[in-house]
Amino acid sequence: MLRVSQKILNERRLETLVENQTSYTMNNAALHVFETHEQAEQVLLKFEQPVLASMIEGKKVMHLRDFESFDFLPGESLLLPAHEQMCIDFPEAMSKNPTRCLAMAISEDKIKRVMQFMNEQMPKDGKGEWELMNYNFHFINDPGIFQILKRLLFLFSENHPSKDFFVDNMLRELIIRILQTNECRIYSNETLSLTNESRLAGVIRYIRENLSSSLQVDDLSRMACMSPSHFYRKFKSELGISPVEFINNERIKLAVGLLQDTKRSIKDVYLDCGFESRSYFNRVFKNRQKIAPGAYKANILNAAFRR
């Protein structure tokens, strides 16, 4: 789990209870740490450069142009283009448990230089050139991206004469890893662009609204008026993952948010997320978050104890 260092917390100025901002600017990027200390709705935010947002603590509900609203939870990141208008709700923020998020604006020139480097040094083996990254890309941080974000949080706030050089190298690795990331995808632009008329759109809404219930592919295929085999092929073709993978992704997203509540037991969490057994929940959670739910819960409790 990402954490904001005590140094950053000491340097902040709480000028507002909603999206209070602590910023650090370097040659090719600017890092902003946002804190929200009270519940709020429809807070607007926009950046002049492409931005990588990553949740640290708490929960946001994101509303992006032309896309369905979705929960944004710790362990997840979101890549947005320059000038993209975000509309954000903070349903759980409070003074004792603020919502925290980092947003890193990266210069487009830096991104283009990294893509040029990749095309020269890391070609795609006849699959075309690396192109501008897929914006509106929402994904679970893999261990490599997690460690880079953790390091960048330290570097931006460090007083070191060479930190511009250090940050620049970490940015290059971060961009490369994001461009190469596909396996942990929750959904991308294609996933979210399903129209309301699509039979899959209704199924996706049903899944998200009924995660605690039993969700069987046969039942979902009947809801979409398709045979199970056709439904599976259509779902994977349009979303890039199978129905079961999508359901598990959504359940783990929910679990990550529920585990933030120190009063909830792990049994309560996995049952509320629709998992029938602790062992299966452990396996799916660890596969996606790279940490067991018990260890994740312990980190939350330790962080709460230190406050």
Side-chain angles (χ1 to χ4, degrees):
M1 177 180 172
L2 282 174
R3 290 195 180 90
V4 176
S5 70
Q6 194 60 47
K7 184 177 188 300
I8 293 176
L9 294 178
N10 290 340
E11 291 175 351
R12 69 185 175 179
R13 291 183 179 180
L14 290 178
E15 298 175 351
T16 174
L17 294 179
V18 178
E19 287 295 67
N20 184 76
Q21 178 177 337
T22 304
S23 298
Y24 303 88
T25 302
M26 307 295 289
N27 285 340
N28 289 304
L31 178 71
H32 310 281
V33 177
F34 291 97
E35 276 189 312
T36 301
H37 291 251
E38 66 178 13
Q39 294 181 12
E41 293 183 348
Q42 298 185 343
V43 177
L44 301 180
L45 188 62
K46 183 165 59 175
F47 293 89
E48 300 301 310
Q49 300 282 358
V51 63
L52 175 72
S54 189
M55 282 299 294
I56 299 173
E57 296 179 71
K59 170 183 172 180
K60 293 182 178 182
V61 179
M62 305 295 293
H63 309 276
L64 303 179
R65 178 174 50 84
D66 299 331
F67 299 112
E68 282 189 19
S69 302
F70 60 91
D71 292 346
F72 193 24
L73 302 170
E76 300 175 6
S77 291
L78 176 64
L79 193 66
L80 293 165
H83 310 293
E84 176 80 5
Q85 181 78 69
M86 290 177 270
C87 181
I88 309 168
D89 298 338
F90 300 86
E92 300 174 357
M94 59 182 68
S95 58
K96 292 184 179 179
N97 292 291
T99 296
R100 291 191 175 111
C101 175
L102 72 82
M104 187 157 41
I106 306 172
S107 77
E108 294 193 52
D109 285 343
K110 175 65 178 178
I111 296 170
K112 290 175 182 177
R113 289 197 299 272
V114 172
M115 286 192 294
Q116 182 179 352
F117 167 81
M118 293 177 72
N119 283 320
E120 292 173 354
Q121 304 295 328
M122 307 163 63
K124 281 187 170 182
D125 298 325
K127 297 180 181 179
E129 292 191 339
W130 294 101
E131 297 177 348
L132 194 63
M133 60 182 67
N134 182 26
Y135 290 116
N136 293 327
F137 178 31
H138 178 203
F139 58 95
I140 296 174
N141 299 329
D142 65 24
I145 290 175
F146 170 82
Q147 292 298 333
I148 293 172
L149 293 175
K150 182 178 177 181
R151 178 68 175 163
L152 284 169
L153 272 170
F154 168 77
L155 289 174
F156 270 92
S157 60
E158 185 188 25
N159 294 321
H160 193 287
S162 301
K163 74 174 186 177
D164 254 315
F165 174 78
F166 299 150
V167 167
D168 212 47
N169 284 334
M170 296 303 296
L171 285 175
R172 181 165 78 166
E173 182 178 350
L174 179 64
I175 294 166
I176 290 172
R177 285 183 180 271
I178 291 173
L179 282 167
Q180 293 176 332
T181 294
N182 287 310
E183 293 180 354
C184 294
R185 179 173 63 182
I186 297 176
Y187 40 69
S188 66
N189 189 46
E190 289 80 12
T191 306
L192 289 173
S193 63
L194 294 173
T195 65
N196 289 330
E197 290 74 27
S198 168
R199 284 182 285 177
L200 290 185
V203 171
I204 289 169
R205 279 193 294 274
Y206 179 83
I207 290 171
R208 287 173 171 160
E209 292 169 2
N210 295 275
L211 291 173
S212 63
S213 304
S214 175
L215 296 170
Q216 303 297 323
V217 173
D218 284 356
D219 295 334
L220 297 174
S221 64
R222 281 194 293 271
M223 188 181 301
C225 301
M226 301 178 189
S227 69
S229 59
H230 180 57
F231 173 74
Y232 180 93
R233 289 194 302 271
K234 183 73 171 175
F235 197 102
K236 191 160 187 178
S237 172
E238 293 203 25
L239 278 78
I241 54 177
S242 72
V244 172
E245 287 173 317
F246 181 84
I247 292 167
N248 282 339
N249 279 344
E250 294 296 308
R251 283 176 166 163
I252 294 304
K253 282 174 56 188
L254 176 61
V256 168
L258 295 179
L259 286 170
Q260 303 291 315
D261 184 349
T262 57
K263 296 178 181 178
R264 279 182 181 264
S265 69
I266 291 178
K267 182 177 181 180
D268 289 339
V269 170
Y270 80 71
L271 290 176
D272 286 346
C273 294
F275 289 97
E276 296 181 357
S277 74
R278 171 73 181 265
S279 60
Y280 184 57
F281 171 63
N282 286 352
R283 188 162 66 251
V284 176
F285 191 98
K286 190 170 184 179
N287 178 262
R288 283 157 175 76
Q289 296 297 98
K290 311 306 177 186
I291 185 173
Y296 185 91
K297 182 73 171 177
N299 287 343
I300 299 294
L301 291 171
N302 289 336
F305 180 76
R306 285 196 297 272
R307 284 182 186 138

